[in-house]
Amino acid sequence: EGLSMNTFNGIFKQEMNDFLEQYDTLNHKIDTYIRVFRKLDDLLCEYHTTEKKLSRELVYRLEKSFDVRPYTFYTYMSDYRNFAKYLNNLGYEAYIPELSKKQSDYTPYIFSDDEWRRIIDAADNIKIRACPLYSLQMPVLVRMLYGCGMRVSEALNLRVRDIDLE
C-alpha cells in the first residue's frame, strides 16, 4: 500500500507513519492498521483537529465509521487500541475504548454428499505437470480433510511423526 510520509495528512501523520514503520520492521502485518489509520486520519482532517489528542467523541465517530462485520470491527478496534496505547506512551492523550468479547461471524459451508463425491473424483483425476507428486498427494489430502474432519492448515502441517500407526 506504499508507506510514505505523504500517506496521512492529519495531526498524527508522523506518529502513524512511525508506528507503521516500527510494526513493519518487526514483520507485523500492517494492512489493517493502514485501513484504520486512513479512517482516523480522515476524521482528524474532517474535524480540523489541531490538538494532538484522541477524545472519546472522536473514537466514537471512528467506531461508527466502520461498516464491517463484527469480527473485522473487533480487529480494527484492536489495532486502534494498540495505536492509542502507543500515543499514550509518547505522552499524548488518546482514549482507549473497551472491547466487547470477540465474536466470530464465520459461517461454515457444509458440503453435501454429492459435492464430496465430485471433489474426491476431481482429486483422483487431477494431473499436475509441474510436480507429478502433487497428483498423488491431492487425493490423500482431500480424503484426510473429508475422513478426519481436518482443517486445510492442520492437514498441510501434518508430519509423519504426528501419526501413531499403532
Side-chain angles (χ1 to χ4, degrees):
E1 298 213 19
L3 197 53
S4 72
M5 293 308 290
N6 298 322
T7 304
F8 307 108
N9 300 306
I11 192 83
F12 283 112
K13 66 181 175 186
Q14 182 67 50
E15 290 77 11
M16 289 176 177
N17 281 301
D18 290 347
F19 180 91
L20 291 173
E21 190 175 306
Q22 285 180 22
Y23 264 58
D24 192 43
T25 301
L26 296 170
N27 291 321
H28 289 291
K29 293 182 86 175
I30 62 170
D31 54 331
T32 59
Y33 280 102
I34 291 171
R35 284 189 200 101
V36 171
F37 287 2
R38 284 189 178 142
K39 286 270 192 186
L40 180 58
D41 191 60
D42 288 347
L43 283 171
L44 291 167
C45 291
E46 179 183 340
Y47 291 100
H48 307 290
T49 306
T50 56
E51 183 182 4
K52 285 200 171 191
K53 173 184 176 182
L54 297 177
S55 67
R56 175 185 292 214
E57 294 76 26
L58 186 79
V59 175
Y60 178 76
R61 288 184 183 121
L62 177 66
E63 290 175 333
K64 294 299 175 199
S65 73
F66 294 124
D67 185 22
V68 293
R69 298 178 78 171
Y71 187 85
T72 304
F73 178 80
Y74 183 92
T75 302
Y76 286 177
M77 291 312 295
S78 293
D79 288 354
Y80 164 78
R81 284 173 49 93
N82 287 337
F83 181 61
K85 290 174 187 175
Y86 171 79
L87 291 177
N88 285 333
N89 286 335
L90 292 177
Y92 301 112
E93 186 180 330
Y95 175 70
I96 301 175
E98 292 295 319
L99 281 181
S100 58
K101 247 184 165 179
K102 191 173 190 178
Q103 297 177 13
S104 175
D105 54 357
Y106 172 73
T107 305
Y109 180 82
I110 308 299
F111 291 102
S112 69
D113 290 341
D114 181 58
E115 288 171 316
W116 270 115
R117 275 190 287 280
R118 290 185 301 164
I119 291 169
I120 290 170
D121 183 56
D124 287 348
N125 293 300
I126 195 166
K127 301 293 181 233
I128 303 171
R129 290 188 183 114
C131 182
L133 276 180
Y134 289 166
S135 299
L136 298 172
Q137 294 168 339
M138 196 59 65
V140 175
L141 175 63
V142 168
R143 282 176 173 79
M144 284 176 27
L145 295 172
Y146 176 73
C148 300
M150 298 177 113
R151 295 179 177 137
V152 173
S153 62
E154 291 171 330
L156 294 176
N157 288 315
L158 195 61
R159 301 292 174 250
V160 173
R161 68 177 180 268
D162 298 328
I163 301 170
D164 180 1
L165 296 175
E166 295 178 27

